[in-house]
Amino acid sequence: MIIKFDNFLEFILKKPDQKFFLFHGPNFGKANEGLEKIIQHQRNIKKIDVINVHSQELKKGDLAELFSVHNTPNIFGNFSLLSIYLNEEKLSKEIINCLSNMDTTELIVVIRSEQLSKRSPLRSHFEKSKSFTIIPCYEETPREKNFLISNLFKTEKIDIDHQTLSLLSEKLPNDRLEIKNEIEKIIVLTKILPNKFSTKYLQELISDSLEIDSSKFINALIEGESNSFFREYNKFTDFGNDNLRLMSYLIEHLFKLIIVKNKIREEKGIKQSMDDLKPPIFFKYQ
């Protein structure tokens, strides 16, 4: 079944028997927050051990073994919560089979994933079954951003005016995790230098890395442009700590170029070949 993120906390309080959850979408901060709420809620009821697994670490058969091993409390009487980060859908069928075959279980399974397409078998299974819960994690709306930012400052007992709130809401990205990280930096610096807290000062504090144009950077790499490469590279990869992100963007870009090339070989014009690709933002820089 599909549950809106805003209704999720109320849902898990009313439905304590729900054990299988799937968070998917571009707002990974919401997915992380959802996982934290489930863990907190379960730990209020019983002792829980959290097992974190990345889909890249799993070989065929590993998932079934994990489910079997953690299906019952361990020797200390602790129950298990299996947190799976899914970065590709090749495990979808195995996940569905494992979950569907668990008639009775004490295991809680939480899956976090990027946006799954409507054709995704995993998404479809979670949407259609009443025993499974899927929570779409869309980007923050302006109302959600304002509410989140206000609460973060309120928690630290820092007052902000409407102008400052509007500035932050406009400049910060639409991912909850990135918003929290940026606000935390601002709060720390504000406490160190309280007299400098102003709209102008906040404008200077907001990270330049948030304003990087991913499409422009990838396009520049493909075309061999070297101007300000290292500065943009450091922003894009968090100073080399996230090269996997760079590889993923490059692979996707090159794959789409190959598709266009093949369509041109099929005697379609360049414009028609480009129009066939979605999303069109891919060709923002031509």
Side-chain angles (χ1 to χ4, degrees):
M1 71 178 77
I2 305 171
I3 298 296
K4 291 182 179 179
F5 184 83
D6 289 346
N7 301 331
F8 175 65
L9 181 57
E10 181 183 357
F11 172 78
I12 58 175
L13 291 173
K14 288 183 177 180
K15 299 282 188 178
D17 294 334
Q18 291 293 113
K19 297 183 183 297
F20 307 137
F21 304 90
L22 170 60
F23 296 89
H24 80 108
N27 194 338
F28 209 66
K30 280 186 175 179
N32 286 347
E33 190 172 303
L35 172 62
E36 290 169 7
K37 286 179 179 178
I38 294 172
I39 294 172
Q40 183 179 8
H41 173 62
Q42 290 297 327
R43 282 180 172 165
N44 288 333
I45 302 171
K46 54 194 174 186
K47 292 181 180 179
I48 287 283
D49 289 336
V50 179
I51 299 97
N52 293 297
V53 178
H54 196 292
S55 62
Q56 285 186 327
E57 302 169 352
L58 299 173
K59 302 186 296 292
K60 188 174 181 180
D62 285 353
L63 204 57
E65 184 178 351
L66 271 172
F67 280 27
S68 176
V69 169
H70 298 290
N71 192 27
T72 55
N74 61 23
I75 57 173
F76 302 105
N78 294 355
F79 295 85
S80 298
L81 184 150
L82 186 60
S83 170
I84 303 173
Y85 173 63
L86 190 70
N87 73 326
E88 53 187 356
E89 287 201 66
K90 68 179 183 180
L91 287 175
S92 291
K93 188 175 180 181
E94 188 174 354
I95 291 173
I96 293 169
N97 288 338
C98 288
L99 294 178
S100 299
N101 291 330
M102 296 173 72
D103 295 328
T104 58
T105 179
E106 298 295 340
L107 175 66
I108 298 165
V109 179
V110 181
I111 303 169
R112 290 169 296 158
S113 170
E114 298 291 341
Q115 182 72 42
L116 297 174
S117 71
K118 291 183 178 180
R119 294 183 179 180
S120 163
L122 188 62
R123 174 177 171 176
S124 178
H125 187 79
F126 268 79
E127 287 179 344
K128 293 176 180 177
S129 173
K130 291 184 178 180
S131 302
F132 295 74
T133 306
I134 183 167
I135 306 95
C137 297
Y138 302 119
E139 291 186 340
E140 305 291 331
T141 64
R143 182 186 65 81
E144 287 177 321
K145 286 176 76 174
N146 286 340
F147 184 76
L148 177 60
I149 294 167
S150 295
N151 275 354
L152 289 169
F153 279 104
K154 188 177 181 180
T155 301
E156 298 296 327
K157 299 180 179 179
I158 298 174
D159 294 325
I160 59 171
D161 56 33
H162 181 71
Q163 182 183 6
T164 302
L165 179 60
S166 297
L167 170 70
L168 291 170
S169 184
E170 177 189 349
K171 292 292 185 181
L172 292 175
N174 295 323
D175 179 270
R176 186 161 297 205
L177 185 60
E178 291 184 20
I179 293 172
K180 286 183 175 181
N181 287 340
E182 289 302 310
I183 296 298
E184 284 175 7
K185 294 177 195 174
I186 291 170
I187 287 172
V188 169
L189 291 172
T190 300
K191 287 183 175 180
I192 295 172
L193 303 168
N195 295 330
K196 282 196 171 186
F197 189 74
S198 66
T199 302
K200 183 179 179 182
Y201 180 58
L202 285 175
Q203 210 160 8
E204 295 171 356
L205 287 178
I206 298 173
S207 296
D208 290 338
S209 60
L210 296 174
E211 298 176 4
I212 184 171
D213 188 324
S214 300
S215 298
K216 186 176 181 179
F217 175 61
I218 295 298
N219 191 71
L221 283 182
I222 297 296
E223 293 187 356
E225 296 178 6
S226 58
N227 294 338
S228 69
F229 167 76
F230 287 107
R231 180 168 63 86
E232 298 298 325
Y233 166 81
N234 285 332
K235 290 179 185 178
F236 193 86
T237 65
D238 188 21
F239 293 88
N241 291 317
D242 194 6
N243 282 317
L244 185 60
R245 181 189 181 212
L246 177 58
M247 290 174 62
S248 298
Y249 271 72
L250 281 171
I251 289 170
E252 181 180 6
H253 190 98
L254 292 170
F255 180 68
K256 287 182 178 179
L257 287 176
I258 292 171
I259 292 175
V260 172
K261 187 175 181 180
N262 287 337
K263 286 182 178 293
I264 292 172
R265 283 178 177 172
E266 294 170 4
E267 297 184 353
K268 286 189 175 184
I270 293 178
K271 185 178 186 308
Q272 179 62 46
S273 300
M274 290 165 61
D275 289 344
D276 286 349
L277 269 184
K278 304 295 181 186
I281 191 68
F282 174 72
F283 295 107
K284 180 178 178 181
Y285 302 97
Q286 298 180 35

